[in-house]
Amino acid sequence: MRPTGDGIPFAKEEFSRRLALVKQEMERREMDTLLISEPSNIYYLTGYEAYSYYVFQMLVVHRELDEPVWIGRFMDAVSARRMTHLPETAIHPYTDEYVQSSERDPVDFLVAKLREICPTLKAVGTETGSFYYTARAHTKLLGSLPNVRFVDAELLINWIRIRKSPAELAIMREAGTISSAMIADAIEAAKPGMRECDLASVIYQRMIAGTPEYGGVLPSSPTYLLTGSRSGEPHAPWSDRSIGTNVPVNVETSGCRRRYHAPISRTIFLGSPPDSYLRLSNAVVEGIEAALAEVKPGVTCADIEHTWQATIARHGFHKEARLGYSIGIGFSPTWGERTASLRSTDLTVLEPGMAFHMMPGLWLGDNGVTITQSFIVTKTGREDLTTFPRQLVIK
């Protein structure tokens, strides 16, 4: 059973299963030690989710140690004790003298701990592509451990994470319920003359309040809310300008529950859309329905993207960007897992337990439509994580 309330999100057995998978992959790659800097991967192996990743922190996995070892700022150790099953011997905080200091480097603290706690220190894996692993830290490690062979372990854990357990999928369903409610509230509130920031505040109120059964937290990415002539921009911030009449309102957002995400995008058209815009939105809807119908174990990401492109091509459209990406745990700056993508060159084979955000948005100059679907791959097909109808909303 998964613990409830504000305690540890998963039972100890769930974390032990994940750690065993990581150690198996470490053995296959002939590394004895793994340094984990990506917050999503630290969370995956421990449940630690404090907003402490703006300072140096690292999780150390050694194949001969029973537990991962948490290394972080002293004031965050209390969260490591509350949020995880880690014993006190696996929690090693450094003092505040190491924080943003020109005199002390937390990498020195890490190196000292590696020599102290690791039975062997021969081949060390690092997440070289992590947003949180700096070139400075890597250079310091190379210089401090000259006899150690460093191995690129980028995405090692991410590819293990791509197959979700039943306990994880249960949380993603909760996130999806919040996402659906957020879009419903946005559609009810949206009206001409309303400021974009006021509409964003409606979305954020539901994002945090969640449902009567469970609340939400801030997701790893901001809500993208673009209106009118800016609807062709996919990732720009909202403003305090007023929403016009006879304009589209594009919303991309996600509920977040226990750091798990279920993104959703919808377009609201305030007024009477022209025929050209209806043709665009109809092409998107037809394309996403055709692509979703292809989802099942055994097909590749490329197969799904091909169906999407072939469908919208009949309407004279083409999408240059990928159709979607794997989702799950997320910390800033992304809720994507950085693994499989729904694109023509990705031959990843879909398996039960994988989850994706299918993102068939089309942004054409100063115009755009975004109607998306997050889903889980099941044994026979898919399960949608959000339930709001996939259609252009005309209001």
Side-chain angles (χ1 to χ4, degrees), residues 34-79:
L34 177 61
L35 303 183
I36 303 164
S37 57
E38 186 168 324
S40 296
N41 292 336
I42 294 174
Y43 177 85
Y44 181 73
L45 289 180
T46 66
Y48 179 80
E49 58 175 313
Y51 288 92
S52 57
Y53 42 85
Y54 64 95
V55 296
F56 183 85
Q57 61 184 23
M58 196 73 72
L59 192 72
V60 180
V61 173
H62 192 283
R63 281 165 47 194
E64 296 182 29
L65 295 178
D66 293 335
E67 300 286 354
V69 174
W70 179 90
I71 292 176
R73 192 179 185 182
F74 81 99
M75 66 173 58
D76 296 309
V78 62
S79 295

Side-chain angles (χ1 to χ4, degrees), residues 19-173:
L19 181 61
L21 292 173
V22 171
K23 286 185 175 182
Q24 288 173 15
E25 184 61 19
M26 289 171 62
E27 182 176 11
R28 190 185 72 81
R29 300 192 190 191
E30 299 181 338
M31 64 180 73
D32 55 4
T33 309
L34 177 61
L35 303 183
I36 303 164
S37 57
E38 186 168 324
S40 296
N41 292 336
I42 294 174
Y43 177 85
Y44 181 73
L45 289 180
T46 66
Y48 179 80
E49 58 175 313
Y51 288 92
S52 57
Y53 42 85
Y54 64 95
V55 296
F56 183 85
Q57 61 184 23
M58 196 73 72
L59 192 72
V60 180
V61 173
H62 192 283
R63 281 165 47 194
E64 296 182 29
L65 295 178
D66 293 335
E67 300 286 354
V69 174
W70 179 90
I71 292 176
R73 192 179 185 182
F74 81 99
M75 66 173 58
D76 296 309
V78 62
S79 295
R81 296 183 184 102
R82 181 183 67 82
M83 294 175 172
T84 77
H85 295 284
L86 296 176
E88 189 65 29
T89 54
I91 298 173
H92 294 259
Y94 58 80
T95 61
D96 214 52
E97 285 79 9
Y98 286 95
V99 177
Q100 298 171 2
S101 170
S102 58
E103 288 81 30
R104 292 175 180 248
D105 192 326
V107 176
D108 291 331
F109 182 89
L110 169 65
V111 169
K113 286 298 175 182
L114 290 175
R115 289 172 172 153
E116 173 189 331
I117 64 178
C118 293
T120 60
L121 205 58
K122 297 177 181 178
V124 176
T126 60
E127 297 178 313
T128 54
S130 167
F131 299 115
Y132 308 88
Y133 186 66
T134 67
R136 185 174 186 273
H138 188 67
T139 301
K140 181 84 175 193
L141 278 169
L142 292 176
S144 301
L145 298 169
N147 297 321
V148 171
R149 178 171 63 91
F150 281 87
V151 182
D152 185 4
E154 169 66 358
L155 301 181
L156 182 156
I157 298 177
N158 301 58
W159 279 106
I160 293 172
R161 281 169 40 201
I162 197 171
R163 299 166 189 83
K164 312 301 185 294
S165 69
E168 291 180 282
L169 295 178
I171 296 178
M172 294 189 73
R173 293 184 185 101

Side-chain angles (χ1 to χ4, degrees), residues 235-392:
H235 298 132
W238 66 76
S239 71
D240 60 359
R241 73 173 187 166
S242 295
I243 304 173
T245 304
N246 293 320
V247 296
V249 177
N250 285 343
V251 178
E252 179 182 0
T253 191
S254 181
C256 182
R257 176 72 175 155
R258 299 284 195 179
R259 300 313 320 161
Y260 286 84
H261 294 70
I264 187 172
S265 301
R266 289 294 183 273
T267 295
I268 312 161
F269 200 98
L270 299 178
S272 300
D275 288 343
S276 60
Y277 196 84
L278 288 175
R279 286 196 298 271
L280 176 63
S281 64
N282 289 340
V284 169
V285 171
E286 184 179 336
I288 190 174
E289 295 301 335
L292 286 170
E294 290 292 309
V295 174
K296 61 183 177 181
V299 303
T300 68
C301 290
D303 293 333
I304 296 171
E305 200 265 354
H306 174 76
T307 297
W308 152 256
Q309 293 286 13
T311 304
I312 64 171
R314 293 198 291 270
H315 297 269
F317 297 109
H318 173 77
K319 179 180 171 72
E320 182 179 355
R322 61 183 178 172
L323 175 62
Y325 46 84
S326 64
I327 55 171
I329 303 169
F331 285 78
S332 294
T334 179
W335 53 54
E337 289 184 316
R338 302 194 299 122
T339 51
S341 291
L342 302 177
R343 58 162 50 112
S344 61
T345 56
D346 194 324
L347 300 180
T348 301
V349 177
L350 269 59
E351 300 178 27
M354 292 182 177
F356 290 85
H357 182 208
M358 185 178 287
M359 182 69 187
L362 286 177
W363 299 277
L364 307 173
D366 60 356
N367 228 348
V369 173
T370 57
I371 301 170
T372 76
Q373 185 63 58
S374 292
F375 62 87
I376 299 164
V377 181
T378 66
K379 292 180 179 180
T380 57
R382 76 173 202 277
E383 174 190 344
D384 293 339
L385 286 169
T386 59
T387 57
F388 200 88
R390 293 184 292 271
Q391 62 189 30
L392 175 67

